[in-house]
Amino acid sequence: SRMDHHCPWMNNCVGAGNLKHFLLFLIYTWTCSVFCLTLLAWNYFFCADDGCIFQIVLLQLVRIMSILSIGTFLFTSSMLMNVIYGILTGVGTIDRLKKKANNTLNESDEEPIPLTNVFGIGPKWTWCLPIDPVFHDYDVVMGYSTPQRLLREQMRDTSHNVKGGGSPSIVGSTVTRDSYGMPV
C-alpha cells in the first residue's frame, strides 16, 4: 500500500494516502520555525531602542526559544529533504534504507512519483490546503483495491450486462467518480 515510513512524532504511518498531509505538516512546521527565528532575531539583534533592554528571565526565554526554533528548523529541513528526495526518485524511506544497507541504491528502477499522485487532480491552488486529494485512479495511487470497490464494480458490470444484453462499451464512456476518485 505504498508505505513510506512510520513517523514516531505523529504516531502514524506515512504512505500514499496521507503523504500530502505529511508534506504539508512539514512545510507548515518549517515555515513557522523560520518565522519564529526571524521574529526572535529581529527583536534580539536589531533592537536599538533604549526600551529594548531584556530582563534576565526574558533573555533566557529568548535563548531557549531560539534553540527550540533552530532544532525544529534543522529537523524539519532534514525531513523535507528526505520526503522530496523520495518523491523525486520514487524510492520510499524504508526501501532506500534497505537498498543502502545492501549497496543496491544505484540499481533502483523506480520512477519519480507524479505530483498528481501526491496532491491529487484538483486545482493547483488546493495543493497547499490540508484537504484530501482526489486521485484520477485511486487503485493505482494506493497500490491496491478494496474488496468493497471490487464488489461494487462487479455489481455494476453485472447490472450493465443484464440491462444492455452484453458487456458495456468502454470507448467514449464517461466514468462518474466519488470523492476519493473511485468509479461509482
Side-chain angles (χ1 to χ4, degrees):
S1 66
R2 311 281 168 105
M3 181 187 148
D4 185 66
H5 69 281
H6 179 80
C7 179
W9 310 108
M10 293 176 41
N11 192 27
N12 197 9
C13 289
V14 177
N18 61 357
L19 185 59
K20 173 187 175 181
H21 298 292
F22 183 69
L23 185 60
L24 290 178
F25 168 73
L26 290 176
I27 291 170
Y28 297 160
T29 306
W30 186 87
T31 304
C32 287
S33 66
V34 168
F35 181 70
C36 190
L37 279 172
T38 304
L39 284 178
L40 289 171
W42 185 264
N43 288 321
Y44 189 73
F45 294 112
F46 298 113
C47 188
D49 194 309
D50 286 339
C52 291
I53 298 172
F54 289 105
Q55 301 299 327
I56 190 71
V57 173
L58 187 59
L59 185 62
Q60 296 304 323
L61 287 175
V62 167
R63 289 179 179 161
I64 290 170
M65 286 304 299
S66 297
I67 291 170
L68 287 173
S69 295
I70 289 170
T72 303
F73 172 76
L74 293 174
F75 179 74
T76 53
S77 295
S78 170
M79 290 301 296
L80 269 171
M81 288 186 287
N82 185 32
V83 170
I84 291 171
Y85 178 82
I87 291 171
L88 293 176
T89 62
V91 180
T93 304
I94 295 173
D95 293 333
R96 184 171 30 86
L97 292 173
K98 285 180 183 178
K99 290 178 183 212
K100 190 174 184 181
N102 296 333
N103 290 328
T104 59
L105 190 57
N106 294 332
E107 300 169 11
S108 295
D109 60 348
E110 287 87 355
E111 295 289 324
I113 299 172
L115 290 179
T116 54
N117 285 3
V118 176
F119 296 104
I121 58 173
K124 287 190 176 36
W125 62 268
T126 63
W127 287 13
C128 62
L129 301 176
I131 55 176
D132 287 334
V134 176
F135 301 117
H136 179 68
D137 190 349
Y138 188 81
D139 290 350
V140 170
V141 173
M142 293 300 137
Y144 66 89
S145 291
T146 60
Q148 293 86 0
R149 177 174 178 177
L150 294 174
L151 180 62
R152 188 172 60 233
E153 287 179 357
Q154 181 183 16
M155 290 171 51
R156 184 192 67 215
D157 291 344
T158 304
S159 68
H160 281 303
N161 288 340
V162 170
K163 290 179 187 175
S167 62
S169 173
I170 297 175
V171 177
S173 67
T174 59
V175 177
T176 305
R177 298 187 181 273
D178 64 9
S179 62
Y180 294 105
M182 299 174 143
V184 289

